[in-house]
Each structure stands twice: as structure tokens, then as C-alpha cells.
Amino acid sequence: MQQIQLNIIPFTPVVSKLKFAFFGSKILNGASIKWDKILAEFPEGREAKLKSYYSDFVTTEGADIETEIDVFKAIDFSQKYFRYQIFNYFKGIEGVVLHSNYIDDVEVWIVDESVTHPTYKTYNKFTLKVTYKTISTGYELLIAYNGTTRIMHQSIEDLGDIDTHLFKLINCNGVVYKHDAMPDDVRQHRETLFPVIGRKLGAYLLENEQIERRENKPHNAYLPYHKNIQAFYKTYINKPDFKKLFKLHPDGFFNLFEEKVQYTRKQSNELQFLNGTHINPFLGMYEHKPYKSNTENHVKLLFIYNREDGKLIQDTIYEYIINGWHKEVNGVQKHTKNLSRFINQTLSIAKEKRIIFEDNDKIFEQVAEQLANFVPEANTRYIAIYISPISKDDKEHPQHIAYYKLKELLLKKDISSQVLYKDHLPKEDFYNFLSNIYVALLAKMGGIPWRLQADNEDEIIIGIGAFKPQDEEERFVGSAFCFGNYGVFENFNCFREGDTEMLAGSIRNAVEIFLERKPNANRVIIHFYKEISDKKELQPILNMLGTLGKADLPVIVITVNKTESREIVGFDINDTKGKMPMSGTFVKVGSHKYLLFNSIRYTSNSVLKPKDYHFPIKLSFRSTMPELLEDDNTIQQLIDQVYQFSRMYWKSISQQNLPVTTLYPEMVARIYPYFDDDNIPEFGKSNLWFL
């Protein structure tokens, strides 16, 4: 039996009423409070727009008001005060480094003595967040492990000539400041300023050195995370001095009662293949064949590569596609089906149309010249396999952008593409990626590797994801449309984040097509990558439905958030292997907010690899008809749907924790900014070219 424990400790304030001095205008490090929390009537003569007062919890001289507040009536202000107490508690502990101030969540950095390096010290980062009624009846302290960071041994005073733009964060006497926002009295003492090593500074200082990393990433196991926060609680929180500030729950971290733990339907992880169902994508493909191969056209593979790599390609990927893999991997003989048998699709190699370039510094130019003269055979679907001599991580190469430009150029020819890095081909572990490549190729051919085992509903599911390139000021927002809940998409698009009217227009087109097929549609479901804005993002969609005469069609918006290190995490404390809750477990963590655990731990005996340990996703629900969200069956159905859509990832056979409704649009948004044209080619709007 599971025992779900959350990284939250309920607490009670030591006193319920506190006296503070308040100022009528903003002050340095002041926490705001609405006037009606401290006054019976709005002050006469005060401007109506000045609705807030401010306190730094200490200063009294010159204050406009001194009064008591009830910590259970002024929640927001009280949370800031409690953070102030936590900040000062840790500021008094030698060796601890603090990031942010008490107005925000408190981030505590603890030196990791097990790591030594001549250039820097390594710190484990912990975030402390004060919440209210997330899972209990009162205040709570959330403790999260936030990975590691590094601080230089040398101060700015002792460093040589370094571009100051490389400095982002600076540690001064145990408090971290933004380099460009340090107070003047801090900036003057250069011998006390120690740079935090971020990505750019690390690249400059350490160049190609292998840097010790233990960031909180999805492929890390839960067990180290759990051990870290338990050790932090024992060392710093479960102490008499801290307990003088807050009355902590005697059991520490909060354990949910069994009746508070819910589960998706048992069959939610079932996938439909041609000849049966299975919960494992690879075994389902292997034993039951893909759900649907592309049978409408002849299929030909078009190779694009450097001439000098021809022999390597012939001996590796070409051999595997035609004859399968039949050689050793780590001393063990391995065998696979060839591509045609694996995807159940007859195909051939377009030898006479292969595209060969000679110069790695002119890849795009040489390929573009040959593609300009490319004439496809009738009734033939081409899939390009581009063997890139340039790693996707080599962003300094002048032809790195060719990866994106070739995709766009091929889409204009109605050709989807698969990119493989040349140096990976001869490696033994390339065997492990063949199945992923084959599944993606089938999807790009127009086939359906597997679909959800579900009863089709009269609803349109819209996925919205986003990505912000480092060199852009604005995000790009991708959209994906699924006509029914089988998990098969029919349309993709991408826009700049500010183009909300364009996004609404693309949604209108999709809804119109859907309503032609399903005039009795019962709802619109939107999976959104963040909390949706009523005015900027939701309202244009509602206006659009009104113009279609469907203003009464319910719209349910589900915000799908990755749980970052500052968010709520849960553990099955009865699981000694990795603390991973059972896949499909979900718990309520606020009003219409849920935490969904999504992995392949289907039984207590499931064996998980490191990549299978996924942090949970946080789901928030809104509806134009709020009463729909009061129905437990509706919530269960919607969470089931999110859970199922995470199993429709056709880029690989590995389980994902996020639904493809937000993953696929994000993948489109990662590539689209590098296209020359403002619009995705029409072929690319109905093809999974981005996998």
C-alpha cells in the first residue's frame, strides 16, 4: 500500500495577532497590505488609487499607522512576514548563503563538503516557500531541493580581466544579489563580492572541463531528492530555535490519508495497436504491429549526406534499415527487425534522388541547389534522412542553422525529415535508439504507431505549448488540434506570443472543421502551458465561439505545469527503491489544483531505470461553466485524458510525464523561429515533421 508524503510541513503561527508600523507610500523592502486589513474606513483625503500600505516589519519612525493584524485574516501580508523570519533565521547561521529576500521565497544554499574544486565551491540549493491551505487547514512550509550551484573561491577584487557581462549573481557575506542591481554600499567592497558561476561564466572559466552537476532534472531519481530535503529538515528546521518561530506539525512532512489519494482508471495506460493492446509501446509495436501504417502512397527514403560519409552510412544506418541489426552490444548479441517489418510498411530507398553535399561549411547552399531541381514521383511520399556532420550542440558552427533551414525547405517540397548525427552511427549504443527512430519515421510517413484505447468523445482537444529562444525577447506559441480523444492530431501551427488574435483565428478554423463533423460537440478542452490570461488569451477564444453561434459551448482550460524544484513534490515513503508513487496517482493540492504522478511504475515490483523517474505534473482547472468542475467524475475523466495523452509521444518509445498536447506544440515552437517565412508550410501543418 502507498503512503504519499508531500514536501510540505503544516505549521501554526506562535501568536495570532502581530503589531506593525505601516507607511502610506512604498518603502525599501516593504511588504504591501490592503487598506481594509488594517483600517475600518478608507482614509479621507487619500487618493482612491492608493489602496495599499507598506511595512518592513521593523521601522516605526515616521509611520502613518501602527496597528495589529490578525495573521489568519491578512494571509498575504503574514506570509511575507513569515518569510522575513525564515530569512533572518538562516542569516544567523554561519556558512549559509541566501538568495532573494523575504518578499520572495527564500532560497538557502548549503555548501557541499563532498565536492572540492580549485575554482569554486559547490552548494546544494533549497527553496522555502510559505503557503496557505494547500493540503492542510492553515499555514504550511514547503521545502524543495533545487539542485546545485557554484560560487567562485576568488572575489571580483582578485580576478583578472573578465567581461563583467558574464557576472549575473554575486555572493556578498552570505546574501546573493543580481550583479546589475547591487546596492551601492555592497558594490563598493569588491573584496567581499564572489561571483556565482552561471552558464556563460562557467563556459568562459572552465571551457571544456567536465563540470560536476546534480541539477534537479526529470531523469534524476526521486530518492536523492527525498534524502536531501529530509536531511535539510533534520539539520535546520527540526531545531529548537526554528520552533520558537513556528509551531511545526509534530510529524514533520505531511502524510496524506489514503482517502485523499486518487487514481486514474486502470485501463488508462492501455495503448491500441493493430492486433491488440499493450502498456509498453515497444512491445506493442513488436508483438501487435503498429495501429496504422501509411498505405495511401508509395514511400521512399531520401538520404542527404556528405559524400565522404557514404561508406559509414552504407555500413550502419542503411544496413540497419534494410537488414536489421545483428551484432553485439556490450558483449551480447542483439537482433532487430528491419524498418519495413518493424513499422509494417513497404518502402524503398530513393537511390537515384539522393542528395550529396561536398562542403560542411556550405551544407544548406549545396542541398538547396539540388532540392530546387527535385521532381517527386507521382503518388509517392518522401521522407528525408539527413546525416548531419554537425552536432546539434555545436552552436558555433556556421552551418548549425542548416538543421532548421533544411527542415523548412523540405516541408515546402512536402517532405518530412529525420536528422541523425554522423558520429552516433558507428556506436554500439545506437542500437538503443533505432526503435525511437523507426517510430518517429512511421509518424512522419503519416502512419499511426499506436492510439489511445478510449471511447471517442464529441469534443475537440486543443494543445498550446511555448518556447522562448535565448536570443529572442518574446516566446513563440505552438498549437495542436486533436479531433476527439484517440490522441491523433490533425493540425499544427505557431505564432508569436503576442499574436493572440492569430491564435484565436487558428482555433476558430479548427473548431469550425470539427463542428462540421460533430455538430453536437459537447465541449472544448484546452491544455495550456501556463495559467491562461482572461483578457489576452481566453477572451479572444470565447469571442470566436460566440461568432460561431456556440457561445454556450463549455470551454475547460487545463493548465499543465512541469513541477519545478520550487513546487510540490510527493513520495511513496513505503517504496524503498526510489520513493516513486504509482503511475496514475493524483492528489488535490488546492482549489481545482492537482498533482499527477506519471511514470511506468504500474506495480510495486516495477523496475525503473533512471530515465523513468519523472517528477509529477501540476494541473489547474478552469471552466466557463464552473459547476462542471465540481463534479468528481468530470475531474477524473479530464485527468485520465491528460495521463493518456502523455502516452502518445511518438518521438520515442520512452514514457513521458507531460502530455503531447503541450509537448508537440512546444517542439514546433522550438523550430519555427528559425524559419525564414512567417508561416509554416501547409504540409507542415498536418504532419509530425518536428519529431
Side-chain angles (χ1 to χ4, degrees):
M1 179 179 292
Q2 291 194 105
Q3 178 63 67
I4 303 298
Q5 183 182 84
L6 301 177
N7 58 332
I8 287 177
I9 303 170
F11 72 85
T12 304
V14 174
V15 294
S16 60
K17 292 190 176 181
L18 297 166
K19 189 173 184 179
F20 297 103
F22 295 96
F23 296 80
S25 56
K26 290 184 179 181
I27 59 173
L28 182 65
N29 291 330
S32 64
I33 189 171
K34 285 289 184 69
W35 70 269
D36 57 358
K37 300 293 183 182
I38 57 175
L39 298 170
E41 295 181 357
F42 192 77
E44 185 177 346
R46 184 174 173 84
E47 290 185 61
K49 65 179 181 180
L50 302 177
K51 299 183 183 300
S52 295
Y53 283 78
Y54 303 87
S55 175
D56 64 3
F57 313 122
V58 178
T59 307
T60 58
E61 185 177 350
D64 295 293
I65 301 167
E66 283 195 53
T67 187
E68 281 189 338
I69 67 154
D70 186 328
V71 298
F72 293 104
K73 293 182 179 178
I75 305 299
D76 184 65
F77 179 83
S78 299
Q79 286 175 306
K80 294 169 185 173
Y81 175 65
F82 297 146
R83 289 198 290 266
Y84 165 80
Q85 290 182 292
I86 294 169
F87 185 90
N88 284 329
Y89 168 79
F90 279 100
K91 197 172 182 181
I93 300 176
E94 186 176 355
V96 168
V97 174
L98 296 170
H99 185 205
S100 81
N101 59 36
Y102 54 83
I103 299 300
D104 304 308
D105 302 332
V106 180
E107 194 171 90
V108 181
W109 298 2
I110 308 295
V111 67
D112 188 338
E113 302 289 358
S114 68
V115 180
T116 59
H117 194 279
T119 305
Y120 58 80
K121 284 185 179 181
T122 296
Y123 289 77
N124 286 305
K125 300 188 295 182
F126 298 87
T127 297
L128 279 71
K129 186 185 185 88
V130 178
T131 58
Y132 186 71
K133 288 188 176 181
T134 300
I135 44 87
S136 69
T137 57
Y139 285 101
E140 303 143 346
L141 178 64
L142 184 152
I143 302 176
Y145 176 59
N146 199 20
T148 62
T149 191
R150 296 155 293 157
I151 300 177
M152 294 190 68
H153 292 309
Q154 288 181 295
S155 70
I156 286 180
E157 176 82 7
D158 298 325
L159 289 175
D161 180 23
I162 294 181
D163 184 353
T164 56
H165 286 94
L166 297 176
F167 299 143
K168 298 301 179 186
L169 297 176
I170 301 293
N171 171 37
C172 178
N173 297 322
V175 178
V176 175
Y177 301 89
K178 290 183 178 179
H179 175 268
D180 295 346
M182 285 188 289
D184 287 342
D185 59 333
V186 171
R187 189 182 298 276
Q188 302 303 316
H189 301 283
R190 298 173 65 247
E191 72 281 1
T192 68
L193 307 180
F194 293 83
V196 177
I197 301 180
R199 181 177 57 84
K200 291 183 178 179
L201 181 58
Y204 173 80
L205 291 173
L206 307 171
E207 295 182 346
N208 297 324
E209 179 183 342
Q210 183 64 39
I211 301 169
E212 176 271 339
R213 291 183 181 276
R214 283 185 294 170
E215 284 92 341
N216 172 31
K217 293 182 179 179
H219 60 262
N220 290 78
Y222 255 39
L223 196 54
Y225 187 103
H226 184 257
K227 286 181 177 179
N228 273 308
I229 64 171
Q230 290 286 349
F232 183 85
Y233 166 72
K234 181 179 179 181
T235 306
Y236 298 100
I237 304 301
N238 193 24
K239 294 293 182 181
D241 284 349
F242 194 87
K243 290 180 178 179
K244 290 177 183 177
L245 303 175
F246 309 102
K247 297 177 183 177
L248 301 177
H249 191 283
D251 295 335
F253 290 107
F254 190 82
N255 292 326
L256 288 166
F257 295 109
E258 181 62 27
E259 59 267 23
K260 297 290 185 181
V261 180
Q262 302 177 72
Y263 302 91
T264 55
R265 292 179 300 111
K266 187 175 181 180
Q267 62 270 37
S268 291
N269 56 14
E270 288 284 338
L271 303 173
Q272 180 69 55
F273 298 89
L274 180 63
N275 298 324
T277 64
H278 209 290
I279 62 173
N280 184 297
F282 172 77
L283 293 178
M285 290 274 289
Y286 205 85
E287 296 173 6
H288 302 310
K289 295 185 179 181
Y291 178 76
K292 183 180 183 295
S293 299
N294 175 52
T295 57
E296 297 178 4
N297 298 297
H298 294 276
V299 174
K300 290 197 173 186
L301 302 182
L302 171 69
F303 276 83
I304 303 174
Y305 58 94
N306 187 303
R307 186 178 299 280
E308 67 181 19
D309 299 327
K311 180 66 166 59
L312 172 66
I313 294 167
Q314 182 76 26
D315 294 342
T316 56
I317 186 63
Y318 185 90
E319 172 69 17
Y320 309 147
I321 287 173
I322 301 302
N323 297 316
W325 178 294
H326 305 288
K327 55 184 180 181
E328 288 188 354
V329 178
N330 296 324
V332 179
Q333 193 70 24
K334 296 288 186 179
H335 301 276
T336 66
K337 296 178 180 179
N338 65 15
L339 174 60
S340 288
R341 288 181 178 174
F342 189 84
I343 66 174
N344 197 32
Q345 170 67 50
T346 302
L347 52 81
S348 60
I349 309 294
K351 300 182 183 67
E352 73 288 352
K353 292 187 178 293
R354 60 186 176 175
I355 295 176
I356 301 174
F357 54 90
E358 309 278 351
D359 187 347
N360 286 348
D361 289 331
K362 297 180 179 179
I363 296 173
F364 176 73
E365 293 79 3
Q366 293 183 358
V367 173
E369 183 179 353
Q370 295 176 65
L371 270 177
N373 300 318
F374 181 86
V375 179
E377 288 185 72
N379 194 31
T380 302
R381 176 176 288 229
Y382 290 90
I383 307 295
I385 298 182
Y386 166 43
I387 309 301
S388 174
I390 304 167
S391 168
K392 66 179 181 180
D393 298 321
D394 185 6
K395 297 182 180 179
E396 301 303 317
H397 194 287
Q399 285 287 312
H400 179 267
I401 198 75
Y403 168 86
Y404 306 101
K405 289 185 174 293
L406 286 180
K407 278 193 173 291
E408 182 182 21
L409 202 59
L410 288 163
L411 286 177
K412 291 178 178 179
K413 293 283 186 178
D414 293 354
I415 299 174
S416 192
S417 56
Q418 181 77 31
V419 181
L420 305 176
Y421 179 38
K422 178 191 75 172
D423 288 0
H424 290 163
L425 300 183
K427 294 180 179 179
E428 277 193 1
D429 63 358
F430 189 70
Y431 163 83
N432 299 314
F433 298 100
L434 273 180
S435 299
N436 298 338
I437 295 167
Y438 291 173
V439 168
L441 283 173
L442 174 59
K444 291 172 181 180
M445 292 173 190
I448 301 175
W450 58 84
R451 72 162 177 81
L452 296 176
Q453 174 65 11
D455 296 326
N456 199 18
E457 300 286 346
D458 289 341
E459 60 193 16
I460 182 171
I461 300 161
I462 301 167
I464 310 292
F467 177 72
K468 183 181 181 298
Q470 288 186 359
D471 55 348
E472 293 278 350
E473 294 184 1
E474 192 174 18
R475 282 190 183 96
F476 287 82
V477 176
S479 61
F481 302 94
C482 192
F483 294 176
N485 61 341
Y486 285 149
V488 180
F489 291 87
E490 298 198 25
N491 187 271
F492 301 94
N493 218 322
C494 196
F495 311 94
R496 288 187 176 271
E497 188 176 38
D499 292 339
T500 53
E501 294 296 334
M502 292 287 288
L503 176 61
S506 71
I507 293 175
R508 176 194 172 98
N509 293 338
V511 171
E512 278 187 312
I513 294 171
F514 181 71
L515 291 175
E516 288 176 6
R517 301 184 195 177
K518 302 280 187 178
N520 297 319
N522 53 37
R523 61 188 180 187
V524 174
I525 298 173
I526 302 175
H527 292 178
F528 214 76
Y529 69 98
K530 67 178 182 66
E531 293 292 342
I532 197 167
S533 163
D534 281 344
K535 185 176 181 180
K536 292 183 178 180
E537 293 159 335
L538 183 57
Q539 195 57 49
I541 296 171
L542 300 182
N543 293 342
M544 171 273 296
L545 290 174
T547 63
L548 293 177
K550 290 288 183 178
D552 59 344
L553 189 64
V555 177
I556 298 175
V557 180
I558 307 173
T559 300
V560 181
N561 282 336
K562 305 172 186 177
T563 52
E564 299 174 352
S565 53
R566 297 182 181 218
E567 291 290 345
I568 304 173
V569 181
F571 308 92
D572 178 3
I573 59 175
N574 290 338
D575 175 34
T576 58
K577 297 176 183 176
K579 305 300 181 187
M580 172 62 64
M582 293 288 191
S583 185
T585 301
F586 65 94
V587 296
K588 192 171 185 179
V589 290
S591 177
H592 301 131
K593 298 180 186 295
Y594 295 82
L595 207 61
L596 172 62
F597 299 91
N598 195 354
S599 68
I600 60 168
R601 189 184 176 224
Y602 298 129
T603 70
S604 58
N605 297 321
S606 295
V607 178
L608 275 64
K609 298 177 182 178
K611 66 181 179 63
D612 298 324
Y613 284 87
H614 295 296
F615 279 77
I617 55 176
K618 189 175 181 181
L619 306 176
S620 302
F621 294 84
R622 293 180 56 190
S623 176
T624 53
M625 295 183 181
E627 64 273 12
L628 294 177
L629 302 182
E630 303 305 320
D631 178 40
D632 290 342
N633 289 330
T634 298
I635 294 294
Q636 168 91 40
Q637 185 184 42
L638 294 170
I639 292 177
D640 271 357
Q641 192 175 81
V642 172
Y643 181 73
Q644 287 184 300
F645 269 92
S646 70
R647 279 144 182 77
M648 292 303 294
Y649 188 68
W650 291 341
K651 189 174 182 178
S652 81
I653 56 172
S654 296
Q655 171 64 51
Q656 306 298 306
N657 68 329
L658 289 169
V660 293
T661 40
T662 56
L663 268 180
Y664 281 179
E666 179 183 330
M667 292 165 73
V668 174
R670 284 177 178 272
I671 301 174
Y672 169 79
Y674 300 99
F675 283 5
D676 287 333
D677 292 348
D678 290 336
N679 296 312
I680 295 173
E682 283 303 312
F683 175 75
K685 294 179 181 179
S686 58
N687 181 269
L688 296 167
W689 55 273
F690 49 83
L691 294 179

